[in-house]
Amino acid sequence: AQTVTQSQPEMSVQEAETVTLSCTYDTSESNYYLFWYKQPPSRQMILVIRQEAYKQQNATENRFSVNFQKAAKSFSLKISDSQLGDTAMYFCAYETSGSRLTFGEGTQLTVNP
Amino acid sequence: DTAVSQTPKYLVTQMGNDKSIKCEQNLGHDTMYWYKQDSKKFLKIMFSYNNKELIINETVPNRFSPKSPDKAHLNLHINSLELGDSAVYFCASSRRTSGAYEQYFGPGTRLTVT
């Protein structure tokens, strides 16, 4: 069974600094998708960034970028120039066949002023 | 305009009752999902429907029954509610059943069973 592990339950960062959230996953498949979702206190689930496993280039969305290491099964999220609005729970997720998203346990990120 | 909507947003009920949560999407998507987020914030898929057909049915008690009257709606009915059913339930939709297509989530329904 596929599993997703986020080893950092909580993290904090100062405003304008950079922070990296870790995620590892376990799979025997060769083609899949990886995601980072953000859940602010409003509890709305928001897609932050997506990575196709067959693409070697790391995905980037404005201040958000990933470090995808396929051989190591690692998928970390880097947030640059952290803003107060980035305070949220961040979930790493893996997509299996049929769009079954498997989520990690989440990392609560707090951005301090 | 709300893309994926759920009603109600909050639901408080007693053990043993039967309740339903409704979900509607106006994105023209073919696939809809139900996820459960427990008190530790852990998210897990429960069901998925594609064009009104059930395609994912995780290990969920048969007290939970999804119903999809059409592609735009996926409702969740829960019989004989138990304390352990207390959670936030999210509906989501995507254009197709593939990770190539983003899943859009509703605002969630917080169910509290007393």
Side-chain angles (χ1 to χ4, degrees), chain B residues 3-62:
Chain B
V4 183
S5 61
Q6 294 179 229
T7 53
K9 289 189 178 170
Y10 298 92
L11 184 55
V12 181
T13 188
Q14 291 185 328
M15 285 175 54
N17 285 347
D18 303 339
K19 290 294 179 185
S20 292
I21 305 172
K22 296 185 177 181
C23 178
E24 177 181 2
Q25 55 95 1
N26 62 5
L27 299 167
H29 289 168
D30 285 346
T31 310
M32 296 184 73
Y33 314 81
W34 278 110
Y35 290 87
K36 178 181 179 180
Q37 185 173 42
D38 64 22
S39 58
K40 295 183 179 179
K41 298 289 187 81
F42 187 66
L43 269 157
K44 188 174 181 183
I45 191 164
M46 302 172 69
F47 303 102
S48 172
Y49 271 74
N50 184 55
N51 282 322
K52 302 195 297 176
E53 274 193 51
L54 181 65
I55 56 171
I56 295 175
N57 186 353
E58 290 294 288
T59 308
V60 176
N62 57 16

Side-chain angles (χ1 to χ4, degrees), chain A:
Chain A
Q2 289 84 5
T3 58
V4 179
T5 302
Q6 295 178 245
S7 58
Q8 305 150 315
E10 296 180 353
M11 292 192 73
S12 62
V13 64
Q14 291 300 120
E15 199 174 2
E17 292 187 347
T18 296
V19 64
T20 299
L21 309 184
S22 301
C23 173
T24 59
Y25 58 95
D26 185 25
T27 183
S28 57
E29 298 184 19
S30 58
N31 194 25
Y32 47 88
Y33 295 84
L34 295 163
F35 307 84
W36 279 98
Y37 278 87
K38 165 185 176 180
Q39 187 178 39
S42 67
R43 84 169 179 236
Q44 180 69 50
M45 293 290 290
I46 302 164
L47 178 65
V48 174
I49 200 164
R50 173 175 57 208
Q51 174 80 43
E52 293 92 335
Y54 62 87
K55 288 188 176 179
Q56 292 188 345
Q57 186 173 5
N58 289 325
T60 300
E61 287 287 342
N62 300 315
R63 298 183 294 108
F64 299 87
S65 62
V66 298
N67 183 4
F68 174 47
Q69 302 289 328
K70 191 171 184 178
K73 296 179 182 175
S74 170
F75 183 59
S76 61
L77 174 70
K78 185 171 85 170
I79 306 174
S80 304
D81 186 24
S82 297
Q83 300 175 0
L84 296 178
D86 295 333
T87 292
M89 181 76 87
Y90 286 81
F91 293 97
C92 178
Y94 167 97
E95 185 264 347
T96 60
S97 58
S99 286
R100 179 186 281 105
L101 279 174
T102 298
F103 288 89
E105 307 93 327
T107 297
Q108 176 62 50
L109 175 68
T110 302
V111 180
N112 298 309

